[in-house]
Amino acid sequence: MRIANPQIEAELRREELRAEEYGGDDPLDPLPKEGGAIPLPADEQKPDPYKVGWDGPDDPENPQNWSRARKWFITVLCLLMTVNVTFASSAPSAAGEYIAAEFHTSTELGYLVTSIFLCGYVVGPSLWGPGSELFGRRIIFRVTLVLYVLFHLGQALAHDMATLLVTRFFTGLFACAPLTNCGGVIVDIWDPITRGTAVALFSAGVFVGPVLGPIVGGFLTMSPLGWRWVFWIMMIFAGACTVMAILFLPETYAPVLLQWKAQKLRKADPEANAKIYAEHERSDWSAKGIFHRTLYRPIQMLLLEPILILVTLYLSLVYGILYALFEALPVIFMGTRGFNIGQSGLIFIGVGIGTTIGAYMTIPLSKHYPALVAKWRGFPPPEQRLLGAMIGAPTLVIGCFWLGWTGQYSSIHWIVPAIATVPIGASVALVFNSFLAYLIDTYLQYSASAFSANAMVRSCVGAAFPLFTVQMFDKLGINWACTLIGFCALLLAPSPFLFYKYGTWIRTKSKFSPCLDLVIAKELAAAEAAAVKGTEKV
């Protein structure tokens, strides 16, 4: 049903364009809400003849109008980069004890090899997110990926633990650029209908990499090559991905592309086009402005937005469980069943199968979305993204209890706890895909700040879990350690159901959620009421 109100039509178009142009990081703060939604400023209805924009809705320079083949190639390239950097996060986890033994340090320092990498993930988003907004996504990818490759040398050639940990931190710092910016690339090029599938594919890379890491790292560590070859293989893989990114990844960030267009026009005819400008050139890029968007706004949202707070808590727990598995599965299968480190790594295949199933399930769960987008003029209720989390939340609880109480007893065949990793992996992917898409649709042009806050907190939790996992499993036992984690998951499991029922009301109280679906809902209700009255008169 089409909306006739021109004011609402203009408001929807404005929000759509700003979400596309700024990749979820609008430099302007939201205006106060009116009637539960952010209003359209009157001055924005008057176009500026000197402001550069796209040459119509079909401009081939607009990344949203690139061919589907090109978009999917870019998406797959982002997936490959994501798999690479997440593979690097977990591959040395199997070698922690061997590294500690060679450098004559405690086993706990060996676990830091994984945790210190994730500490780099905490710092990185505040650097590479704003960097991509100022200079463009492509240059940030190129610089960070080259440095990411080079810092592998310090790990492969390290002669003491301090050198290894310092270079490992910087590797994680530069590695998080794809995790920070690939989501922005997907928003840059995909419409809301296909974006869900693209995000699911990207999210699969977030989980496939950590799953592959222990498998490859385990066999390399116990082979004659030794643990140093874990880092050499990581460097070779990283180098190949970096070369592909440098050669084939284009600039996708619309404000930078429009800035380049304005610069070309001024250069082509300095006199006639002297007043031509791009909005990006007039944005606040002072230290105060950058600090406001990259640190103040994410922290402000994390403290004031109930949706973001609860989603961040839940995703942090899920992320922590994923990285806890790197230490927990060897305890379960090496400690009680006598597996070697390579065989223990193979158990992660179950996690990989699960995450693949979870990512695939996003596709059928999104089949109703094109009809919703048409009905809701491109802005359907974000709560429609929660179906996957509503399946994944109880599945995660079941998986944790299953793994703990079958993994505890060596009399139970190893295949039983190994199969438990499949529902755990599936639930991790379902919850992540669902909630990340929910954050995008809830905050639209402010979703980058929500992602930044979420990424920093969950990376802190992910870095902490490997440090106490082994001790927790040793003290509590496999059964009660998994039960504790399962109860934490059970405590947060109602989240997607509560958001599905009450999310609309919560969003009306949010400063940063535009709530355009509420405006559309009023129009739809009015149209339906008018149709009913017309039928009654007849």
Side-chain angles (χ1 to χ4, degrees), residues 235-534:
M235 184 176 181
I236 293 168
F237 186 15
C241 292
T242 300
V243 169
M244 292 187 66
I246 290 173
L247 293 177
F248 301 116
L249 189 66
E251 180 57 61
T252 62
Y253 190 46
V256 170
L257 292 173
L258 290 173
Q259 178 180 325
W260 292 353
K261 181 178 180 180
Q263 291 170 346
K264 288 179 181 177
L265 290 172
R266 291 196 297 264
K267 185 176 180 180
D269 194 340
E271 294 185 8
N273 297 328
K275 295 183 179 180
I276 293 291
Y277 74 96
E279 184 176 356
H280 189 62
E281 296 173 308
R282 299 190 177 182
S283 296
D284 183 5
W285 292 110
S286 65
K288 181 180 178 181
I290 294 174
F291 175 83
H292 178 84
R293 291 199 301 276
T294 59
L295 287 177
Y296 176 77
R297 184 192 288 171
I299 294 173
Q300 179 189 25
M301 291 179 67
L302 188 60
L303 294 175
L304 301 178
E305 296 288 320
I307 289 176
L308 182 59
I309 293 170
L310 202 52
V311 168
T312 299
L313 284 174
Y314 200 169
L315 292 188
S316 296
L317 174 66
V318 173
Y319 204 64
I321 290 173
L322 179 65
Y323 278 89
L325 287 175
F326 301 146
E327 310 300 337
L329 292 186
V331 172
I332 296 172
F333 292 94
M334 295 172 65
T336 64
R337 288 164 175 82
F339 283 28
N340 62 39
I341 194 169
Q343 293 168 334
S344 175
L346 288 175
I347 301 299
F348 283 91
I349 293 175
V351 183
I353 292 172
T355 55
T356 302
I357 292 172
Y360 174 78
M361 286 179 65
T362 304
I363 298 174
L365 289 172
S366 302
K367 277 191 174 180
H368 67 305
Y369 222 71
L372 287 175
V373 169
K375 177 182 177 181
W376 292 86
R377 304 292 296 129
F379 297 95
E383 287 71 32
Q384 292 296 319
R385 297 288 195 185
L386 293 172
L387 301 181
M390 294 164 75
I391 297 172
T395 304
L396 180 62
V397 178
I398 293 170
C400 288
F401 287 126
W402 181 353
L403 179 64
W405 289 94
T406 61
Q408 171 71 29
Y409 307 104
S410 59
S411 58
I412 298 176
H413 195 278
W414 65 267
I415 194 66
V416 180
I419 293 174
T421 63
V422 176
I424 291 176
S427 60
V428 166
L430 282 167
V431 169
F432 255 82
N433 290 343
S434 186
F435 273 131
L436 291 182
Y438 182 52
L439 289 181
I440 290 175
D441 286 2
T442 296
Y443 295 110
L444 292 175
Q445 67 267 42
Y446 303 105
S447 60
S449 294
F451 271 35
S452 178
N454 181 274
M456 287 188 285
V457 173
R458 77 169 189 257
S459 294
C460 286
V461 174
F465 262 69
L467 298 178
F468 63 78
T469 299
V470 174
Q471 294 90 327
M472 181 174 71
F473 273 70
D474 286 342
K475 296 289 185 182
L476 299 179
I478 295 168
N479 50 358
W480 289 110
C482 286
T483 297
L484 177 61
I485 295 173
F487 276 129
C488 292
L490 181 62
L491 181 66
L492 293 171
S495 301
F497 300 92
L498 293 173
F499 284 144
Y500 192 82
K501 185 173 183 179
Y502 301 108
T504 301
W505 178 80
I506 296 173
R507 286 187 290 111
T508 62
K509 311 300 180 183
S510 166
K511 175 182 177 181
F512 292 93
S513 179
C515 294
L516 296 178
D517 59 300
L518 301 183
V519 180
I520 301 168
K522 292 178 182 178
E523 291 295 315
L524 291 174
E528 289 175 2
V532 170
K533 282 186 178 180

Side-chain angles (χ1 to χ4, degrees), residues 13 17 20-21 51-67 70-71 188-189 252 254 257-262 264-265:
R13 183 59 182 160
L17 288 175
E20 289 177 4
E21 288 181 7
K51 179 181 172 181
V52 167
W54 301 118
D55 297 331
D58 300 319
D59 188 345
E61 297 300 317
N62 185 345
Q64 292 277 327
N65 295 327
W66 291 348
S67 68
R70 188 182 187 191
K71 290 180 181 180
D188 292 343
I189 63 178
T252 62
L257 292 173
L258 290 173
Q259 178 180 325
W260 292 353
K261 181 178 180 180
K264 288 179 181 177
L265 290 172

